[in-house]
Amino acid sequence: MDKELQQIANEVEGLSEKLIALKKEIGKVIIGQDETVSQLLITFLAGGHALLEGVPGLAKTLMIRTLSNAIDLKFKRIQFTPDLMPSDIIGTEILEEDHTTGKKFFKFNKGPIFSNIILADEINRTPPKTQAALLEAMQEFEVTYGDKTYQLDRPFFILATQNPIEQSGTFVLPEAQQDRFLLYIKIGYPTDEEETQILKATTGTKKAKLNKVLSGKDIIRLQQLVREVSISDGLIQYVSDVIRATRPDTTSVDYVKQWVDWGAGPRAGQAMILTAKANALLEGRLAVTLEDLQTVVLPVLRHRVLVNFRADAEGITSDTVTKEILKSVQLRDK
């Protein structure tokens, strides 16, 4: 058993070096945004999908493209527009003719969803019918067209972006679809020093050359190792306490009863544990700590805790509620 653990530890060390190299490659293009990059990598390691929100010009699209350029996987960008149809994403059947027999037949022409990394740019600009075309792919990792089901290549990630400012002509993602995203990542403005570096780096002639430092096999193995990261029963109980505290009917936190309409479901607890395990592995550890859980709790619950109308009017967000919950919920004594 000790030999097996040592072998896993050595494998984790080797893959951790590749993850460090991946961060360095991304850093050639993306200045700052360390927290956002880490959360994207956590999404990859946990085998989920991420929703990124930020105002224009914060390098959301560039960040995802840079990440995909440093990983040896197929990448497709889909620009979501009001006239985009589900078939533009999934694919469609085309009529072809067999030149030897003259017989005509329908052939399924695969759409851009059949890649490893999908950038769904401005996902809230397309109607719900087209947004829903992603649901099966996100949850089941397969696509059904007519009476046939097509498996998607693994690993498979959807990284979607949305702009919080311009709401004219947009379609808010339904809560059921938001819940399919493992993390809801909000990107903030750079610091004074970072902004100066950005201006210097992007207005000259120098262009960074990226190397592919991680393969699809590496990511699949990392996803397997994430599942092997240990977490104590006490920390699992803590996750359960936090999730139950988000629900107005089971919470003991008055703040939640006052400002929340709907709390998080069991999927939030699963996401919290998986992403905490991924965060531990990202830091080269094989056991989850309380700090790992608290690192991921905001992006996990951000789209799963729905505040009421009064909270919206008062400027109280799900993040505000989550922070109040963390003050109230304590790790139980063993």
Side-chain angles (χ1 to χ4, degrees), residues 286-312:
L286 286 171
V288 173
T289 65
L290 181 62
E291 288 71 27
D292 290 320
L293 293 169
Q294 292 174 341
T295 296
V296 301
V297 66
L298 287 180
V300 165
L301 294 182
R302 188 168 285 147
H303 52 309
R304 295 182 168 103
V305 175
L306 306 180
V307 297
N308 56 33
F309 178 77
R310 221 155 43 90
D312 271 335

Side-chain angles (χ1 to χ4, degrees), residues 138-303:
M138 291 173 73
Q139 192 65 25
E140 309 296 337
F141 298 96
E142 62 187 27
V143 166
T144 301
Y145 188 94
D147 59 351
K148 287 188 179 179
T149 299
Y150 302 87
Q151 296 296 320
L152 296 168
D153 292 338
R154 305 293 292 270
F156 176 74
F157 307 100
I158 289 179
L159 304 174
T161 70
Q162 64 180 17
N163 173 5
I165 296 177
E166 297 174 28
Q167 296 305 314
S168 176
T170 62
F171 303 87
V172 178
L173 283 172
E175 282 74 15
Q177 186 164 350
Q178 285 192 41
D179 196 33
R180 297 305 198 280
F181 288 102
L182 191 68
L183 296 182
Y184 183 177
I185 304 168
K186 285 197 174 182
I187 305 178
Y189 288 110
T191 63
D192 182 20
E193 185 183 343
E194 288 168 353
E195 193 142 12
T196 304
Q197 289 179 31
I198 290 167
L199 296 174
K200 193 182 292 185
T202 56
T203 55
T205 56
K206 190 177 177 183
K207 192 173 181 181
K209 185 181 178 183
L210 296 178
N211 301 306
K212 294 189 183 295
V213 296
L214 209 64
S215 69
K217 284 185 179 179
D218 289 333
I219 291 177
I220 289 171
R221 182 56 184 147
L222 281 163
Q223 289 175 353
Q224 292 168 345
L225 287 170
V226 162
R227 299 274 177 169
E228 294 181 28
V229 172
S230 65
I231 180 170
S232 69
D233 290 344
L235 289 177
I236 292 175
Q237 184 62 59
Y238 174 79
V239 171
S240 178
D241 291 343
V242 169
I243 301 305
R244 291 182 66 78
T246 66
R247 303 167 190 160
D249 57 339
T250 59
T251 190
S252 60
V253 183
D254 290 334
Y255 199 87
V256 173
K257 293 176 182 177
Q258 185 179 359
W259 300 112
V260 174
D261 262 349
W262 296 97
R267 191 181 280 142
Q270 295 167 344
M272 196 168 160
I273 290 172
L274 265 180
T275 52
K277 286 185 173 189
N279 188 69
L281 193 66
L282 192 60
E283 295 183 2
R285 289 182 282 106
L286 286 171
V288 173
T289 65
L290 181 62
E291 288 71 27
D292 290 320
L293 293 169
Q294 292 174 341
T295 296
V296 301
V297 66
L298 287 180
V300 165
L301 294 182
R302 188 168 285 147
H303 52 309

Side-chain angles (χ1 to χ4, degrees), residues 86-87 89-90 113 128-137 143 177:
S87 58
I89 297 172
I90 294 170
I113 196 76
K129 182 179 179 181
T130 306
Q131 292 172 354
L134 294 175
L135 279 177
E136 184 183 14
V143 166
Q177 186 164 350

